[in-house]
Amino acid sequence: MRLIVIGGDAAGMSAAAQARRRRGPDELEIVAFEMGRFVSYSACGIPYWIGGLVDGPDALIARDPAAFRTAGIQVRTRHEVTGIDLDARTVTVHDRDAGRSTDEHFDHLVYATGATPVRPPWAVTDAGGVFGVQTLEDGSALRDWLDREKPADAVVIGGGYIGVEMAEAMINRGLRVTLVEKADQPMGTVDPDMGALVAASIRGLGIDLRTGVTVEGLETADGRIRAVATDDGAIPAGVVVIGLGVRPNTELAEAAGLPLGPTGGIRTDLRQRAADGVWAAGDCTEVHHRISRRAVHVPLGTHANKQGRVAGINIGGGYATFPGVIGTAVTKLCDLEVARTGLSSREAAQAGFAAVTATVESTNRAGYFPGAVPMTVKVIAERETGVLLGAQIVGRAEAAKRIDAFAVAVWNGMTVSEMTGLDLGYAPPYAPVWDPILIAARKAEEVVARPFIR
């Protein structure tokens, strides 16, 4: 039997590793094709490498091709799969260095091509100084530009996770930073009131945050970026980072006839199977949201690794399923921490829930203990039942990872009343006697208990 893996990052290599653990080289040949130079690396670490907080690129690589080859997995970098023939059970592979293409047979195929950056027409340019940060090659190119050209002004386009993280990276490198967001708030995955807290903190760091502003083009001269043109005027720029989100990379899958869902991602069954002998995992797929019960696209390395593991176990003769997601995510901007899980108020309404919210202010430690700083916690619960639908946190030290307690509660369908009795750890250096989680749950319980006038 022969397994071919398309894509050498989290999902693809997790699938390959799990399949190898269950089937030896004499039973299953495994070949992974990766169009870039690196495999099995942390793309999430790129902003922190750019900003000088961590080393790279080697530090961001979990396993290199040589390590996989030692484990009996053939890894061919700089090899791009350009076509899939499901009837013939072959893929067409282009060797980017040798400049030739071959057809390769498979018995099992793992499609793990990840996601591609959203690039409007105005963002397509050959001018120097304009970057995305999708791959380690992107990160290397951006670092080289910053080191060589030493620009004074950076414009980051897009106020989501990658945009916020790249704004931090540029601040850490001493640049003047403008963050441009088309929506009325940064971090659109949190509710507007929480987004307002994020916006205030961003501006407090000296970042020129411009919300409700639409980018219209890039102004270049002498082959390099000079400014970003917007409906609010031109913004000088010596470097531009585009972080407008990503979409599933499914062009090959669609051409081959694999099923796509409403999000544009590949639709799979619970075992990550897209067709007979064809498996898909990672950012190229859509997933099931356990609370909204809808198909969603959530491009995160955590899910990619889990989905790849599930596919690999099944290919190797075991049995595993992927249980879905609840939208847990965290990020930081300097000392500001932002976290969310479950549904936002808008998402709850879109899913058909009648929801109530409760927001509290608290501190990360006992108020009298050194280092105590404020945090804001918001809870979204179903009005009639009190079932926790989601939570959001904006704060500083020790704020973001508190979202994990909410995530466990959301995952298991707990009510806010049940949460008020949770036996959470307490000591003055770690929490107030009433942890912010418990305070928020208690306030939500009170809101749920109020009479509702129809």
Side-chain angles (χ1 to χ4, degrees):
M1 300 288 284
R2 193 178 202 219
L3 165 63
I4 284 181
V5 177
I6 307 175
D9 205 0
M13 300 318 294
S14 291
Q18 288 297 324
R20 171 56 71 232
R21 288 175 183 172
R22 287 161 176 78
R23 291 187 177 183
D26 293 338
E27 189 179 359
L28 180 68
E29 179 187 9
I30 304 177
V31 184
F33 295 109
E34 166 56 45
M35 65 185 297
R37 298 184 182 278
F38 303 97
V39 299
S40 196
Y41 61 88
S42 172
C44 299
I46 293 174
Y48 308 109
W49 170 37
I50 300 298
L53 294 178
V54 301
D55 293 330
D58 292 344
L60 301 181
I61 298 173
R63 297 176 73 182
D64 61 18
F68 282 108
R69 293 181 188 119
T70 300
I73 299 171
Q74 302 174 48
V75 176
R76 302 180 190 175
T77 56
R78 300 279 296 166
H79 281 66
E80 180 182 3
V81 175
T82 59
I84 302 170
D85 189 328
L86 295 181
D87 294 327
R89 312 299 277 183
T90 62
V91 297
T92 301
V93 184
H94 180 68
D95 184 332
R96 303 177 81 179
D97 292 327
R100 62 173 180 266
S101 296
T102 58
D103 289 335
E104 302 279 349
H105 171 74
F106 66 84
D107 296 291
H108 286 280
L109 178 69
V110 171
Y111 192 104
T113 55
T116 56
V118 173
R119 288 290 178 92
W122 56 257
V124 180
T125 178
D126 292 328
V130 181
F131 301 91
V133 284
Q134 186 78 1
T135 67
L136 285 186
E137 286 93 339
D138 294 337
S140 292
L142 175 52
R143 278 185 60 95
D144 289 346
W145 179 269
L146 294 172
D147 292 340
R148 183 178 66 253
E149 303 296 332
K150 295 180 172 50
D153 296 287
V155 176
V156 179
I157 304 173
Y161 291 98
I162 191 65
V164 166
E165 291 165 4
M166 286 308 303
E168 175 188 15
M170 296 300 164
I171 283 286
N172 287 340
R173 293 187 68 108
L175 280 72
R176 291 187 295 267
V177 180
T178 301
L179 179 60
V180 182
E181 170 55 50
K182 185 176 182 180
D184 292 333
Q185 68 172 80
M187 299 298 298
T189 57
V190 300
D191 286 341
D193 53 343
M194 302 296 274
L197 298 176
V198 177
S201 294
I202 289 174
R203 293 188 172 104
L205 293 169
I207 295 173
D208 181 5
L209 173 63
R210 303 193 186 185
T211 56
V213 172
T214 300
V215 174
E216 298 177 337
L218 303 176
E219 298 180 3
T220 63
D222 302 321
R224 56 195 296 139
I225 188 67
R226 298 299 183 184
V228 174
T230 77
D231 60 358
D232 190 40
I235 307 171
V239 62
V240 171
V241 178
I242 300 174
L244 294 173
V246 297
R247 56 177 176 79
N249 184 357
T250 56
E251 183 177 349
L252 285 176
E254 185 175 17
L258 292 176
L260 303 186
T263 68
I266 299 173
R267 188 172 63 242
T268 72
D269 63 15
L270 293 174
R271 301 177 70 190
Q272 298 302 134
R273 183 169 45 200
D276 183 31
V278 181
W279 314 78
D283 295 354
C284 60
T285 67
E286 69 177 22
V287 294
H288 173 71
H289 197 292
R290 291 168 61 95
I291 311 306
S292 70
R293 300 181 180 89
R294 294 182 173 184
V296 294
H297 180 236
V298 184
L300 281 176
T302 50
H303 306 323
N305 276 287
K306 292 172 188 174
Q307 289 177 300
R309 181 177 184 274
V310 167
I313 289 173
N314 288 308
I315 293 168
Y319 179 82
T321 61
F322 183 70
V325 305
I326 58 172
T328 306
V330 298
T331 192
K332 67 180 286 291
L333 174 62
C334 296
D335 66 342
L336 180 71
E337 300 181 4
V338 185
R340 60 149 290 163
T341 191
L343 303 177
S344 67
S345 297
R346 175 178 53 84
E347 291 166 339
Q350 289 174 343
F353 288 103
V356 297
T357 66
T359 303
V360 300
E361 302 279 343
S362 186
T363 55
N364 61 331
R365 307 173 186 175
Y368 56 80
F369 200 88
V373 290
M375 74 173 69
T376 303
V377 182
K378 183 173 186 176
V379 167
I380 299 97
E382 189 173 21
R383 188 182 63 209
E384 298 287 342
T385 66
V387 170
L388 181 67
L389 299 176
Q392 300 166 22
I393 302 175
V394 176
R396 286 179 164 76
E398 300 145 21
K401 285 298 284 181
R402 274 184 162 88
I403 204 68
D404 288 343
F406 284 115
V408 171
V410 170
W411 187 273
N412 289 285
M414 293 180 66
T415 66
V416 290
S417 294
E418 290 171 329
M419 287 193 68
T420 62
L422 287 176
D423 187 3
L424 303 181
Y426 162 68
Y430 301 107
V433 66
W434 282 96
D435 191 275
I437 293 169
L438 301 179
I439 298 173
R442 191 175 63 195
K443 183 170 182 180
E445 180 186 35
E446 294 171 356
V447 176
V448 169
R450 292 173 187 167
F452 174 67
I453 301 175
R454 297 183 183 277

